[in-house]
Amino acid sequence: QVQLVESGGGLVQNGGSLRLSCAASGDINRMAWYRQAPGKERELVAAITSGGSTNYADSVKGRFTISRDNARNTVYLQMNSLKPEDTAVYYCQSIRRGITSWGQGTQVTVSS
């Protein structure tokens, strides 16, 4: 199982930006970012395949960008124009050889 460590979360004002990082302990294949707000289900934010194809939740299209650095086994989530409704714990997910792994999560809080 791949070990995932997220970083980059924090407190930011409405309209601000943050960049999340997820470092994996081994080679990465399909990677994704999910988020979970209090009282809500975990939802997909963005995903990227090994070939670089991406998909995004409608709520973040045009504001968030997922990218990857295969040499560093790291995936990033650049978040711009943040809104209070983006406040959540953000989790990194790896799917490799049929095994799904999750990071411990990083808190993102957007103040209004």
Side-chain angles (χ1 to χ4, degrees), residues 3-74:
Q3 304 300 314
L4 304 172
V5 179
E6 300 107 332
S7 60
L11 174 64
V12 64
Q13 291 186 338
N14 189 13
S17 297
L18 284 174
R19 188 194 195 203
L20 305 183
S21 299
C22 173
S25 60
D27 292 342
I28 56 177
N29 193 356
R30 182 188 185 275
M31 302 291 292
W33 287 96
Y34 283 73
R35 67 186 180 187
Q36 188 166 19
K40 295 187 177 181
E41 293 186 354
R42 191 172 296 189
E43 63 174 357
L44 176 67
V45 176
I48 186 166
T49 67
S50 57
S53 297
T54 59
N55 67 281
Y56 297 91
D58 288 343
S59 59
V60 306
K61 282 181 180 177
R63 300 188 298 123
F64 291 11
T65 302
I66 189 171
S67 61
R68 60 192 293 151
D69 183 338
N70 292 331
R72 297 177 183 271
N73 294 332
T74 300

